[in-house]
Amino acid sequence: MNEITPVTNAAAAVAPKTPTLPDAQTVTEVKHWTDRLFSFRMTRPASMRFRSGEFVMIGLMGDVNPKTGKQKPLLRAYSIASPSWDEELEFYSIKVQDGPLTSKLQHIKVGDEVILRPKPVGTLVHDALIPGKRLWFFATGTGFAPFASLLREPQTYEDYDEIVITHTCREAGELTYGRELIESLKDDELLNEVIGEGFWKKIKYYPTTTREESAKMGRITDLMKSGEAFKDLGVEPLNPDTDRAMICGNLAFNLELKDMFEEYGLEEGANSKPAHYVVEKAFLD
C-alpha cells in the first residue's frame, strides 16, 4: 500500500497542552452540522496505530459522586472518522440532550480535553474481507464515520474497481457531513497524487432520507428489495463473486441487511475469518 505523509491543517492547528486527565488529548476543531450532529478533531498520540475503519473508546469525566466525592470517566465506543495516515483523530457524533456522555461532549470547544483509550478495534477493516471487485458501504446516521475513514484510505481504491456508499438519514441536513467529505475528495491534492488522479470517480454515492423530502426518499433496504437502488446506481444486485460490503447502522438496519445478504449468498466475515461482508456491532445510532 502506498504511504501518505500527513499534512497539518494550519487553520485548525492547536498547540497541545499538558493533559490534566488520564490519556487525554486536546480538541483542535469542532463543527456543528445540525442540532443533532457534530464532528470534532483532536490530537493523536504519537505511538497510536490503527487500521482505517476501527473504533476506540473516548469520553469525559462524569459528575462528582455526592457520596464519595470522586469522578469516574464516561467512555463510549466511537469510530475513528479520519484515515490511518492522518496526524489527528476525527470523530462524528450525535447529540443526546439527556445522554450521559453526549450531553456533555456536544459542548466541547477547541483547547478542551477528551479522554482517549488508544486501543483501536473493530470489524470494518479491509483485512476482514476477501478480495472482490465492488465494495459497498451501508450507513445510517453517524454510522458514516468509519466510512469517512475508509473513503480516504488508499487501500480502498487499490483493492476495488468501484465503491458504493449508501447513507440513509431522517432529514436532508443530516447528510451534509458525508456529502461534503465526498465532494472534498475531488480537490484533495494529496490523495489524488498518492492514489491517482481522479480516484474519486470510482465512488457511487447514494444518499436517501426517510422523513424530510429530498432527491431520493426511502429506506435503502426497501429500495434494494424493489430493485430501484440498483437501477439508480446502474449496478447489478449483490453477488458473492464480485461484491463485498460493510455495514454500520442501527440494530434493526444491521439485522435486516444481514438477512438480505444471506439471501444474496454473502457470508459474514471477521478479522479471524475474512468473507463477503462485515458488520460493526459496537455502533448504535
Side-chain angles (χ1 to χ4, degrees):
M1 191 180 84
N2 292 320
E3 282 193 20
I4 284 188
T5 302
V7 293
T8 302
N9 180 349
V14 174
K17 58 185 179 182
T18 303
T20 56
L21 298 175
D23 298 318
Q25 297 299 313
T26 305
V27 176
T28 61
E29 181 180 277
V30 181
K31 186 165 185 178
H32 295 270
W33 298 91
T34 71
D35 58 358
R36 294 186 64 249
L37 300 168
F38 72 108
S39 62
F40 58 98
R41 292 174 66 85
M42 62 188 193
T43 54
R44 172 180 175 173
S47 60
M48 181 180 173
R49 297 289 181 271
F50 69 92
R51 295 175 295 176
S52 293
E54 290 188 312
F55 67 87
V56 288
M57 302 296 289
I58 64 172
L60 300 169
M61 294 302 294
D63 295 330
V64 176
N65 186 313
K67 293 182 179 179
T68 64
K70 296 181 179 180
Q71 291 176 281
K72 290 185 177 180
L74 291 171
L75 301 173
R76 296 289 185 273
Y78 269 76
S79 292
I80 303 172
S82 46
S84 61
W85 52 265
D86 199 323
E87 65 179 10
E88 292 187 336
L89 299 174
E90 180 180 339
F91 299 94
Y92 184 43
S93 177
I94 57 172
K95 304 176 186 179
V96 181
Q97 300 310 318
D98 57 353
L101 176 58
T102 59
S103 62
K104 301 175 183 292
L105 193 62
Q106 64 183 290
H107 299 298
I108 58 172
K109 303 181 296 295
V110 171
D112 288 349
E113 293 180 349
V114 173
I115 300 170
L116 167 74
R117 296 285 190 262
K119 294 181 180 179
V121 292
T123 56
L124 301 184
V125 293
H126 287 302
D127 294 342
L129 296 176
I130 57 178
K133 293 184 178 180
R134 181 185 297 118
L135 177 61
W136 293 76
F137 294 144
F138 292 95
T140 61
T142 54
F144 188 91
F147 306 136
S149 174
L150 286 157
L151 284 167
R152 291 178 281 185
E153 169 58 55
Q155 187 179 350
T156 301
Y157 304 93
E158 294 170 3
D159 289 357
Y160 298 93
D161 298 329
E162 194 170 50
I163 296 91
V164 181
I165 170 77
T166 81
H167 191 198
T168 300
C169 295
R170 295 185 299 180
E171 301 174 358
E174 297 172 350
L175 296 166
T176 307
Y177 173 81
R179 184 183 67 250
E180 289 194 2
L181 185 144
I182 291 172
E183 282 294 319
S184 72
L185 297 178
K186 299 178 182 179
D187 301 317
D188 192 311
E189 294 181 3
L190 181 64
L191 288 177
N192 275 281
E193 180 181 347
V194 172
I195 302 173
E197 194 72 33
F199 73 93
W200 45 271
K201 293 178 181 178
K202 287 188 174 186
I203 300 172
K204 287 182 179 288
Y205 175 46
Y206 197 68
T208 68
T209 56
T210 56
R211 292 189 185 178
E212 185 180 8
E213 189 170 345
S214 67
K216 176 61 65 174
M217 294 193 66
R219 300 166 68 245
I220 184 61
T221 47
D222 292 338
L223 293 167
M224 290 168 66
K225 288 175 182 176
S226 70
E228 187 174 345
F230 301 117
K231 183 179 179 181
D232 289 341
L233 288 163
V235 299
E236 295 295 320
L238 276 72
N239 182 321
D241 292 336
T242 55
D243 295 280
R244 305 295 174 258
M246 296 184 178
I247 312 171
C248 192
N250 59 60
L251 183 58
F253 175 76
N254 292 356
L255 293 175
E256 186 175 5
L257 269 179
K258 284 184 62 164
D259 288 342
M260 291 176 65
F261 286 173
E262 298 298 330
E263 292 177 7
Y264 289 130
L266 275 65
E267 297 181 4
E268 184 172 1
N271 280 284
S272 58
K273 189 180 179 182
H276 303 113
Y277 76 92
V278 286
V279 183
E280 187 50 84
K281 299 177 179 65
F283 174 77
L284 290 175
D285 183 28

